[in-house]
């Protein structure tokens, strides 16, 4: 039903449907070509942003984050973690919202609900990039993966939100190497190590890495080996943790 | 000026002064008698709660948390960290708020701002318990330290908020042993170890603990030793980190 409403009608319904002053932003991480990527919406000729949304009046926060992901990117059933809430006074960006709306031919009065101050709760999601075909919503021109080390121009404080998500994701790895959620379901230890080092930002000695990972009990060695590679064929592993 | 307003007048001004739907809760940790403590406000004959507050319309989140601590407990200049945002739909507790207000002889209409749904941002503070004399605000009957393992009856979801704060505080210790902020400014390694083990919830071998702590570079060995103890007098250390 939602999709049949015009954007203008959706805007008008917002104050009725959502809690005021509270938004969500989702940093969706993927991994390919040995690089950590983030999924961004293109909302203007040269303007990008994180998929974000609001909290329905009768909906929990985590539920709202899941719905936002689904509505804005098509993404379902992924690891999703709250990491930080952004609430500085200077993160008020009515101009950025107006830019975005104008790109869609929309205008709102200056006292409109959507132009008020928002405190935004940040979530990060971990995605097996090759298993998911992102779908942009009708507020966006397109959707696509961008290398975290080479981001385009982002609206509002979304660059800062990505940096913080990266930091929180990194800090969690020693405790539970959730970086494995970015890899295919079966992977070798060297493949895990490459992704881990990329996320953590430092090198680990190979045999020590394998020992540490296996000690976490999060990995199961499969009977299969990686075929078609030169030298000794490495065993495949599986990440036991679920979400 | 604030203090001269009656509670009833303060209640009436809330929708003008604060952002709606957003609250803060502060978990203040202290350490004494080899136990982790938390500072609670007594708001009814048998009812306790965390010092909490709201965000002024032109105030940043961290700033609001600092003000809340100051106004509700007298606490200033402490380590303060945002740890999680609580936003489940079921954490709506108009009944608990009404109990608290009734204890102060106040009543509000059922559609009042303060009885709406709130999403609460959790902060934890670390305090040198002996250097601070808590002062309750005029909404509370008294203020006092309680052992985290033996909490009284807490209003709303405040028990869950404390549990989560404890978990987040614990997880941070390997990265930076901020538990040192709970100790006097000068401490011995065995004193640090006792507090660390208490917070982390597991024992560490003594020489390994000292080696790990010193490797973090967060500690400086002083020339002084702890006097008046039997056996070998241990060196005193100082936590270099600041906030």
């Amino acid at each position: 039903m939602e999709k049949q409403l015009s954007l203008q009608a959706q805007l008008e319904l917002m104050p009725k449907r959502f809690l005021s002053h509270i938004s969500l932003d989702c940093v969706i991480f993927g991994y390919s070509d040995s690089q950590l990527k983030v999924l961004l919406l293109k909302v203007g000729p040269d303007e990008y942003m994180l998929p974000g949304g609001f909290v329905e009046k009768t909906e929990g926060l985590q539920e709202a984050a899941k719905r936002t992901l689904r509505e804005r990117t098509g993404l379902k059933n992924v690891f999703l973690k709250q990491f930080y809430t952004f609430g500085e006074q200077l993160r008020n960006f009515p101009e950025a919202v107006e830019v975005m709306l104008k790109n869609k031919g929309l205008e709102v009065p200056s006292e409109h609900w959507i132009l008020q101050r928002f405190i935004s709760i940040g979530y990060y999601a971990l995605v097996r990039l090759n298993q998911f075909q992102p779908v942009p919503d009708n507020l966006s021109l397109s959707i696509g993966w961008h290398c975290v080390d080479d981001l385009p121009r982002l609206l509002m404080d979304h660059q800062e939100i990505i940096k913080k998500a990266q930091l929180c994701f990194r800090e969690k790895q020693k405790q539970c190497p959730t970086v494995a959620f970015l890899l295919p379901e079966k992977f070798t230890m060297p493949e895990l190590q490459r992704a881990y080092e990329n996320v953590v930002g430092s090198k680990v000695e190979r045999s020590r890495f394998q020992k540490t990972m296996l000690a976490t009990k999060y990995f199961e060695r499969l009977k299969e080996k990686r075929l078609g590679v030169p030298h000794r064929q490495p065993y495949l592993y599986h990440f036991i943790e679920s979400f």
Side-chain angles (χ1 to χ4, degrees), chain A:
Chain A
M1 193 200 105
E2 190 60 31
K3 277 190 182 160
Q4 285 149 9
L5 286 178
S6 71
L7 289 174
Q8 190 69 49
Q10 284 185 42
L11 267 171
E12 277 160 28
L13 280 175
M14 280 181 166
K16 265 203 169 164
R17 182 176 171 200
F18 300 114
L19 292 176
S20 52
H21 304 299
I22 298 165
S23 63
L24 295 167
D25 280 299
C26 300
V27 180
I28 306 167
F29 288 122
Y31 180 76
S32 68
D33 306 322
S34 301
Q35 286 181 322
L36 187 65
K37 309 266 168 96
V38 62
L39 191 64
L40 299 175
L41 295 169
K42 188 173 182 179
V43 293
D46 187 31
E47 286 127 351
Y48 294 80
M49 65 190 301
L50 291 169
F54 306 104
V55 185
E56 286 181 359
K57 288 184 180 174
T58 57
E59 178 185 54
L61 260 188
Q62 184 85 9
E63 210 185 322
K66 281 185 193 169
R67 182 185 46 73
T68 297
L69 273 185
R70 201 176 58 237
E71 287 178 359
R72 303 214 63 189
T73 72
L75 196 55
K76 272 185 255 184
N77 304 322
V78 289
F79 176 92
L80 183 64
K81 190 171 172 62
Q82 190 199 107
F83 66 93
Y84 196 72
T85 295
F86 300 84
E88 290 317 297
Q89 166 63 6
L90 290 173
R91 72 172 305 278
N92 281 349
F93 304 97
E95 303 79 7
V97 178
E98 278 175 310
V99 163
M100 200 183 69
L101 294 175
K102 267 199 187 124
N103 283 329
K104 299 298 293 185
L106 298 168
E107 261 185 82
V108 291
S110 64
E111 70 282 7
H112 188 276
W113 184 90
I114 206 170
L115 299 179
Q116 293 179 355
R117 176 175 172 195
F118 280 90
I119 284 183
S120 195
I121 298 139
Y123 281 82
Y124 68 77
L126 304 178
V127 173
R128 294 192 170 105
L129 192 147
N130 296 328
Q131 288 178 16
F132 160 63
Q133 190 56 50
V135 183
D137 67 346
N138 59 0
L139 267 168
S140 317
L141 303 174
S142 65
I143 191 165
W145 293 101
H146 297 260
C147 183
V148 288
D149 295 327
D150 184 22
L151 294 171
R153 206 172 93 88
L154 286 151
L155 287 181
M156 314 195 216
D157 56 351
H158 288 191
Q159 178 147 4
E160 188 198 325
I161 293 178
I162 294 171
K163 284 272 165 286
K164 182 78 178 176
Q166 231 186 313
L167 191 71
C168 294
F169 178 34
R170 171 181 300 172
E171 284 181 354
K172 282 282 172 194
Q173 294 314 300
K174 282 210 174 157
Q175 212 179 299
C176 177
T178 48
V179 60
F181 283 130
L182 301 176
L183 298 177
E185 298 207 9
K186 298 171 185 179
F187 47 83
T188 65
M189 271 294 147
E191 285 161 3
L192 178 66
Q193 183 169 356
R194 210 171 306 128
Y196 183 95
E197 289 177 341
N198 193 305
V199 165
V200 169
S202 62
K203 295 278 175 196
V204 193
E205 193 273 312
R206 183 178 164 141
S207 69
R208 196 174 147 227
F209 177 79
Q210 174 144 349
K211 213 175 134 192
T212 313
M213 286 300 118
L214 296 181
T216 64
K217 313 271 185 209
Y218 284 124
F219 299 94
E220 182 188 22
R221 194 171 88 173
L222 304 173
K223 283 180 184 142
E224 297 168 68
K225 291 183 173 188
R226 169 77 74 225
L227 302 177
V229 294
H231 314 300
R232 230 174 75 194
Q233 293 173 340
Y235 275 104
L236 289 171
Y237 289 82
H238 173 71
F239 189 41
I240 293 166
E241 191 65 354
S242 60
F243 45 85

